[in-house]
Amino acid sequence: MDDDDADYMQGSDDEDYGFDYSDNEDANESGSVDVENMYYKAKSKKDDNPEEALKEFRAIVDQEEEQGDWGFKALKQSTKLLYLTLQRPNDALKTYTQLLAYTKSAVTRNYSEKTINGILDYVGGGKGGAVEVDILEKFYQATKAALVEAKNERLSVKTNLKLAKLWLDRKEFARLSKLIRDLHNATGSINDGDDQSQRGTQLLEIYALEIQMYNETKNLKKLKEIYNATNDVRSAIPHPRIMGVIKECGGKMWMGEQTGSNQPGQWRRASEDFFESFRNYDEAGLPQRIQVLKYLVLANMLTGSEVNPFDSQETKPYKTDPQIKAMTDLVDAYQRREVHSAEKILKGMQSVP
């Protein structure tokens, strides 16, 4: 059993396992076995003969009198084949759109949501080669239309957040700005009786996207406005990655303000934010922690502090990390006031690719 079938089994928790059989049980069971055999036969041809596999998956869908789980699985496999193997995104969009119609009643909600998320992940992840932005947008538009019809607001917001991250990565800032407005409107429509921690968490996710956009576009005024807004969110349970992003951008903002003015204390604020960013990235196990740790070392030195940033419990394990060894040596030389050693270390860092 591969991941696709394992997902299906996990998504079937709410099926009825009662024992009230109908008179047509034997015929139905026989038909189900036949379709199951067709499915696995088609699946066995995916690697060696994808075109033939596609035809056999299509035969499963075409013979259905009503939408069922085997048709859903056949469309899921067809979409994957068309997009990732055959690199025909327009055809993949057609099978995906047909698959979305099955999510209304043919399969469980958990399984359909997991399938949608999985497809959107590889569509936006570039695994099927370069794809036009318009095609990507159509995948998301089809998804959102189906979710609106199903009144699945939670997954609709998650889908929009996923698309916003995709536009950010592709630097499609005009599309991202419009989507962020839509997300704010959707989040603002949550009533007082709804889960306010959910609203706060969604707000921080939106702010994290927004703050990255303004950091990329060097709009420090808007960046600071959003940064301050994140501090006003009281009820939220964000993923540590979200707070890592917010605090990293905040640290860069303080450094930019210090460099461009004579405001005292901005290096200290930058150092504090970089530490919080590092701590959150570290908790999430994300590689960004190393880069942020370098920012922390730099900001800490610029504060004139005598405190070694690697003395803390959180940063100490990284003191000998090959990627930041030069930074720790620089801190040591700085604290010993050994100017020549510091210059030698800096020159060595510049020669590293």
Side-chain angles (χ1 to χ4, degrees):
M1 180 184 295
D2 69 5
D3 291 343
D4 291 324
D5 298 317
D7 287 349
Y8 171 71
M9 295 303 293
Q10 291 170 5
S12 303
D13 294 340
D14 55 355
E15 289 183 358
D16 183 5
Y17 290 97
F19 293 94
D20 294 329
Y21 298 119
S22 69
D23 293 337
N24 296 323
E25 176 198 347
D26 292 339
N28 290 339
E29 185 175 337
S30 175
S32 178
V33 170
D34 289 343
V35 177
E36 182 177 359
N37 289 336
M38 288 176 65
Y39 173 79
Y40 285 109
K41 182 183 175 184
K43 198 171 180 182
S44 69
K45 299 179 181 180
K46 281 172 56 180
D47 294 332
D48 297 331
N49 195 343
E51 292 289 358
E52 184 62 27
L54 270 180
K55 291 179 182 178
E56 295 188 12
F57 283 133
R58 172 48 56 185
I60 294 172
V61 176
D62 289 344
Q63 76 169 21
E64 284 187 317
E65 294 182 3
E66 61 181 33
Q67 294 176 346
D69 49 5
W70 291 112
F72 181 85
K73 294 175 75 174
L75 288 167
K76 178 181 177 182
Q77 293 289 349
S78 298
T79 302
K80 195 172 184 179
L81 267 177
L82 287 164
Y83 197 92
L84 294 179
T85 304
L86 300 173
Q87 297 187 7
R88 285 154 45 190
N90 283 295
D91 290 336
L93 177 60
K94 293 176 183 177
T95 57
Y96 177 62
T97 302
Q98 190 174 358
L99 175 147
L100 288 171
Y102 279 63
T103 62
K104 298 174 186 175
S105 59
V107 293
T108 66
R109 184 161 178 159
N110 285 342
Y111 183 45
S112 65
E113 288 188 7
K114 192 165 186 177
T115 298
I116 289 170
N117 280 324
I119 292 173
L120 292 181
D121 280 343
Y122 66 68
V123 165
K127 294 181 181 178
V131 179
E132 294 178 4
V133 169
D134 289 346
I135 292 292
L136 295 178
E137 199 161 37
K138 286 177 181 177
F139 267 91
Y140 278 88
Q141 286 173 344
T143 305
K144 287 188 283 187
L147 294 175
V148 167
E149 186 176 349
K151 295 182 172 57
N152 192 337
E153 295 179 8
R154 180 182 60 83
L155 186 57
S156 182
V157 170
K158 287 177 66 176
T159 301
N160 276 335
L161 287 168
K162 191 188 293 285
L163 178 57
K165 180 65 168 63
L166 185 61
W167 292 153
L168 177 66
D169 291 342
R170 288 172 169 258
K171 301 187 187 304
E172 292 281 346
F173 297 127
R175 283 183 165 91
L176 176 57
S177 295
K178 181 180 182 302
L179 189 52
I180 283 175
R181 287 195 298 271
D182 293 342
L183 281 164
H184 274 299
N185 290 335
T187 304
S189 66
I190 295 178
N191 298 320
D192 292 338
D194 294 326
D195 186 353
Q196 290 304 299
S197 67
Q198 178 189 342
R199 180 179 184 277
T201 302
Q202 286 180 6
L203 263 179
L204 286 178
E205 289 190 61
I206 298 167
Y207 285 149
L209 290 162
E210 219 168 343
I211 206 170
Q212 288 176 93
M213 178 178 70
Y214 292 130
N215 182 59
E216 288 281 343
T217 56
K218 310 300 181 188
N219 189 336
L220 295 182
K221 182 179 178 182
K222 292 294 292 183
L223 193 158
K224 190 169 186 178
E225 178 184 316
I226 300 303
Y227 175 85
N228 289 333
T230 66
N231 295 325
D232 294 332
V233 179
R234 292 289 176 261
S235 180
I237 311 174
H239 188 281
R241 178 185 63 82
I242 299 300
M243 294 311 300
V245 166
I246 290 171
K247 292 300 182 182
E248 178 186 356
C249 291
K252 291 176 180 178
M253 175 190 72
W254 296 127
M255 290 183 77
E257 285 197 358
Q258 178 68 59
T259 304
S261 69
N262 294 319
Q263 297 182 59
Q266 304 302 64
W267 292 129
R268 177 182 54 78
R269 289 180 173 178
S271 180
E272 291 171 353
D273 272 1
F274 285 138
F275 178 77
E276 284 301 311
S277 177
F278 165 79
R279 190 176 61 77
N280 279 281
Y281 282 145
D282 192 40
E283 182 182 342
L286 296 172
Q288 291 96 315
R289 59 191 169 193
I290 298 299
Q291 185 61 41
V292 169
L293 191 50
K294 293 177 182 179
Y295 292 143
L296 170 61
V297 171
L298 175 61
N300 189 74
M301 285 192 296
L302 292 170
T303 64
S305 172
E306 296 295 329
V307 177
N308 189 322
F310 292 98
D311 286 343
S312 75
Q313 181 179 351
E314 293 87 352
T315 58
K316 190 175 291 183
Y318 297 91
K319 188 171 184 177
T320 57
D321 188 290
Q323 296 185 63
I324 58 173
K325 182 65 169 62
M327 298 294 288
T328 61
D329 292 343
L330 185 60
V331 171
D332 290 339
Y334 168 77
Q335 292 189 330
R336 293 194 305 269
R337 299 296 189 267
E338 294 180 0
V339 177
H340 295 297
S341 296
E343 288 179 346
K344 185 178 179 180
I345 293 168
L346 286 170
K347 287 179 181 178
M349 291 171 69
Q350 290 173 354
S351 65
V352 175

